[in-house]
Amino acid sequence: MGNVQSSLPTYYNADPTNEAYTHSLSSYVDLASSAIGAKLIRASNERFGAAANLIKPDAPSSQDGKLDAWVTRRHNPEADWAVVRLGSAGTVAGFDIDTRGLDGEHASQVSIQGCLAPEGSAVDSHGDVDGAEWEELLPEVDISANSHHLLALWTPTKNPFNFVRITLHPDGGVSRLRILGTVAVSSDSEGEVDLASVNAGARVVHVSDEKLGAKENLILPGRATTASRETRGWKTRRSRSDDHSDWAIVRLGEPGFLTRIELDTLFYDGDQPVSASVQACYTEMENPERDSECFWYQIVPRTELNGNKLHKVDVTLNDVPFSHIKLVIHPDGGISRLRAFGQRVKEIEEE
C-alpha cells in the first residue's frame, strides 16, 4: 500500500500482518495521546461518536452498544475532519489509524495534515488553524474495518508539528489515531526540570519485563489516575524468587546533572516492589547496553518502597552529567511514575 509522489512512495505498511509485537514504529512516542496532554480542538461532525475518542490512550472497546470511536453522519457532501493539538510538538515518523470496533461504520479513506502554530491558536469552521498552513503528512489512503493501519513514513519529517488534522473521505469513523514521532525538546524552561518526562523528550529504551503494565507509563506527565488502567504504571510479572530484580532504562530528554529522583507507587499497594535503586550512565547510544564502555554509577541506593506513596530521594552523585538512568526494582512489582530532576548540561555550559 503506498502513494506515489515523484515516482517514490512516501509511506509503507509497518505491520502488514496486523499482529507484530514490534515493528519500525515501536520505539516512537504517541504525540496525539491524551496521556501526554493532547487535546481535541474541533471536529466538523460528531453525530455518532465523539472525536475525543481518537486520542484516548486505551484500546477501543464496545460497551452497551456505544461506539468507542469518532463517527460522523452519513451521506456527507464534503469531507469530515478533526483537529488535534499534540501533547508535545514533535517530528512525525508514522501513524496508527485504528478502526477496531468499526465494521461498516469505518471511513473509506483518510488523510492527515500537520502544522506548527502558537498553542492557543483557534480553529475555524473549515478546520484551518489561524495563521498556519497545513502540510500533507499522509495522502489519502484506503482503510479497512476492524484493523490497525500502521503506516510509517520512509523519511520522518525534519520539521516539528504541534497540530494535526485527520480528514475522512467522505465520512464514517475511526476509533483511535496515533501520531508516532519524536518530541521536539523545548529550551523554554530553565533551572531544575524533570529530564525523565516524555514531554521533555525522554524515552524508555529497554525493560526486563512489562507483562502487566507498559514501560512508557513510567515517564507520562502528572500522577497516575484511576481513569485508565492502561496508563497506571509499569508493572512486571511475579518472579517467585527473592533474589530476582527487574529494571527499566530511560534515555533522558537531554543529558543533565541530576539532583533528585522520585518514585511514585500510587495505585500500587501490596503489589509495589519491596525496594528499588537507581543507576545512571553517560553514552551517545540510544541503548546503553550496546555500549561496552558505558559504566553505571549508583545514584540512589537500594531504598524500601511503600504502597500508594511518592518517594523523593536526593541523588548521591550530582556533579557528573548523565544521559540515561536505570531503575532497578526488587524483586518485582509496579511503579506508576519515575521522575529524574536536574539541570541540563547545555544550560550549565551557557551560564
Side-chain angles (χ1 to χ4, degrees):
M1 185 158 96
N3 185 62
V4 176
Q5 291 186 347
S6 301
S7 75
L8 293 174
T10 60
Y11 64 93
Y12 63 93
N13 192 335
D15 180 18
T17 66
N18 245 237
E19 297 176 353
Y21 179 70
T22 60
H23 45 75
S24 61
L25 294 174
S26 296
S27 63
Y28 289 99
V29 174
D30 177 13
L31 302 171
S33 172
S34 61
I36 73 165
K39 302 287 185 185
L40 186 284
I41 303 301
R42 190 167 182 174
S44 60
N45 184 267
E46 302 173 275
R47 181 66 177 86
F48 298 107
N53 289 329
L54 287 170
I55 59 174
K56 287 181 178 179
D58 53 334
S61 62
S62 179
Q63 295 181 348
D64 303 324
K66 295 181 180 178
L67 293 173
D68 186 16
W70 172 43
V71 185
T72 70
R73 65 180 178 268
R74 298 189 182 204
H75 315 304
N76 189 11
E78 299 179 356
D80 277 315
W81 50 263
V83 176
V84 174
R85 190 193 72 211
L86 302 178
S88 286
T91 55
V92 176
F95 317 89
D96 181 0
I97 303 165
D98 190 347
T99 60
R100 285 177 296 171
L102 297 176
D103 188 356
E105 291 283 7
H106 62 286
S108 299
Q109 295 180 315
V110 302
S111 61
I112 299 173
Q113 302 84 36
C115 71
L116 185 65
E119 287 295 307
S121 297
V123 177
D124 66 21
S125 59
H126 300 288
D128 292 323
V129 177
D130 284 351
E133 294 291 330
W134 290 112
E135 181 177 331
E136 182 180 87
L137 299 177
L138 183 71
E140 286 187 35
V141 296
D142 296 332
I143 61 173
S144 305
N146 279 319
S147 301
H148 274 292
H149 304 79
L150 279 160
L151 306 178
L153 297 177
W154 281 109
T155 304
T157 65
K158 294 181 179 179
N159 297 324
F161 300 90
N162 64 342
F163 285 85
V164 294
R165 180 176 66 184
I166 179 172
T167 303
L168 310 182
H169 303 277
D171 51 43
V174 169
S175 302
R176 298 289 187 270
L177 172 66
R178 315 292 189 203
I179 304 295
L180 304 169
T182 301
V183 171
V185 177
S186 171
S187 58
D188 292 343
S189 56
E190 297 181 355
E192 190 180 67
V193 295
D194 177 15
L195 295 172
S197 169
V198 63
N199 293 118
R203 188 181 294 180
V204 185
V205 296
H206 199 24
V207 292
S208 59
D209 181 76
E210 52 178 334
K211 175 68 173 177
L212 302 173
K215 62 185 185 296
E216 290 81 10
N217 294 336
L218 276 174
I219 60 175
L220 291 178
R223 300 192 76 188
T225 70
T226 58
S228 175
R229 293 182 63 87
E230 283 79 1
T231 60
R232 188 164 296 174
W234 169 54
K235 187 176 179 181
T236 67
R237 72 189 79 203
R238 295 175 187 256
S239 64
R240 308 297 185 186
S241 172
D242 291 339
D243 60 359
H244 180 82
S245 62
D246 281 311
W247 46 265
I249 297 175
V250 176
R251 191 208 67 191
L252 303 177
E254 288 186 84
F257 295 92
L258 302 180
T259 56
R260 185 176 80 256
I261 296 291
E262 293 186 1
L263 301 173
D264 196 350
T265 59
L266 184 63
F267 298 118
Y268 294 116
D269 189 3
D271 51 358
Q272 81 277 10
V274 173
S275 60
S277 58
V278 181
Q279 304 168 11
C281 73
Y282 188 93
T283 178
E284 298 292 336
M285 292 189 176
E286 176 80 359
N287 186 351
E289 294 201 320
R290 297 176 180 171
D291 185 351
S292 60
E293 298 182 359
C294 181
F295 181 81
W296 289 102
Y297 296 86
Q298 182 160 287
I299 60 172
V300 172
R302 191 162 171 172
T303 303
E304 182 179 348
L305 299 181
N306 298 312
N308 276 325
K309 183 177 179 180
L310 178 61
H311 304 76
K312 300 180 180 181
V313 187
D314 291 334
V315 169
T316 57
L317 192 63
N318 54 28
D319 58 350
V320 176
F322 295 116
S323 61
H324 293 71
I325 59 174
K326 183 178 185 178
L327 169 63
V328 183
I329 59 174
H330 311 273
D332 52 50
I335 300 280
S336 57
R337 297 290 185 269
L338 167 66
R339 308 287 182 224
F341 289 93
Q343 194 167 9
R344 298 181 179 95
V345 169
K346 189 184 301 183
E347 189 174 325
I348 296 291
E349 293 173 344
E350 293 173 351
E351 290 181 353

